[in-house]
Amino acid sequence: MKARCLTIKELTEAVGGGITPRMVRHYHQLGLLPQPMRSPGNYRLYTQTDVNRLQRIVALKQQGFQLNHIRHILAVELEADTTIETRLIASLQQQYRAVMQQMSQLRQTASALESLLGRDRNCQLIQAEVLAQLKLLEVETKVGVGQLEKLWSGLDANVHAHPEDFHESLQYLLPDLCDRPVIEQDLISKLVLACGDVSLASFVRLHPEAIAASREAFKSGCPIIADISTVAGALDQTRLIHLGCRIETLIDNPHITTAKEAELAFWQERKWREKLQQLEKGCVLIVGYAPSVLLAICEAIAEQQIQPALVIGMPIGFSHAPAAKRQLMQTSIAWITIEGTLGGGLLAATALNALVESVIDKPECHCYLQHKSKG
């Protein structure tokens, strides 16, 4: 049976995504959609091929591609030669460079604002006159950022006169965290200070039971398992020893110090995977480098081979790491992670150290329970 053709209205209803007949006609004019067949009454008639092509256009628009880029991508996809993949990648790279350029400009503006908001009270009092001039500037424009450069000499003149007040700076810079427990606020603040990127605060994710599970585990003297020795070496050994928590390394090779080395070692040597499956119940796992370690942890948890009290999963990587973190957030055990590509051994160790410090310095704190009951 011959497939029924669609009218332009039926086409837009089939595709959805806010597409209108007027947009379809515009895409015809731009060459994004081929001219359709016509009925005896001169109405446009569309096939499933047209539906698929329009759905592809909608998807590319939602990904941020401009119409001229979409035209190029569609042209590439129609070609049947071996250069399709190469040309598509080149097109994606072009789009990526444009996005990164925009991000760079925004980051430049954000850095200028951070340099102002991050000034503590001592700096502000000493440099009040210069700060008054800044009120006249429109800092969110390139011109404003350029003008700010002329004032740095005045702003920076007396920073050597006193130590920086990080607490005060973060009060201005961090997003409002009042809806989070005090321990969680402290954890996020320490992570931001560890990497110097305030935007990190928006990507930190904690399981609802993460703080409670970590405190119970540390108080019971649980073993701490780090993915490699670099992460283990950054842990607060003094406080952990005080709590009776021993530190172990999963990939127990002191010569492995980078994400690349850790990833290869975990794949090439089966003994590390076997060691993972034999971990003690109630341990705390901390992954700061190898995404494959975190993926294996998630798999072992799903298969009920291991039952850690908490997983701090912050590996480095651009494809496997984000995927591993998404899998971690779907597990039933308590976890702490940073969404996306952000991570590293220092951040993972900082997270654990902040939790350990809270157990010792605030042993009776129950802020996390109060916030849970409010939710």
Side-chain angles (χ1 to χ4, degrees), residues 343-360:
L346 176 60
L347 291 176
T350 297
L352 186 138
N353 291 341
L355 294 172
V356 170
E357 182 180 348
S358 75
V359 170
I360 295 177

Side-chain angles (χ1 to χ4, degrees), residues 128-204:
E129 182 179 349
V130 178
L131 284 170
Q133 296 178 48
L134 291 170
K135 295 179 181 179
L136 303 176
L137 296 178
E138 186 66 32
V139 294
E140 62 266 32
T141 65
K142 291 183 182 179
V143 175
V145 173
Q147 288 177 292
L148 285 175
E149 292 294 334
K150 299 177 182 178
L151 297 175
W152 288 148
S153 57
L155 286 168
D156 296 341
N158 293 292
V159 293
H160 62 280
H162 66 281
E164 181 170 351
D165 188 334
F166 291 110
H167 176 72
E168 187 174 335
S169 297
L170 288 177
Q171 282 184 319
Y172 291 108
L173 294 169
L174 285 174
D176 186 5
L177 301 175
C178 64
D179 62 331
R180 303 198 187 202
V182 174
I183 294 174
E184 189 172 332
Q185 293 179 32
D186 179 67
L187 167 64
I188 293 173
S189 297
K190 285 183 167 63
L191 287 172
V192 167
L193 283 176
C195 68
D197 187 350
V198 179
S199 66
L200 179 80
S202 302
F203 299 96
V204 178

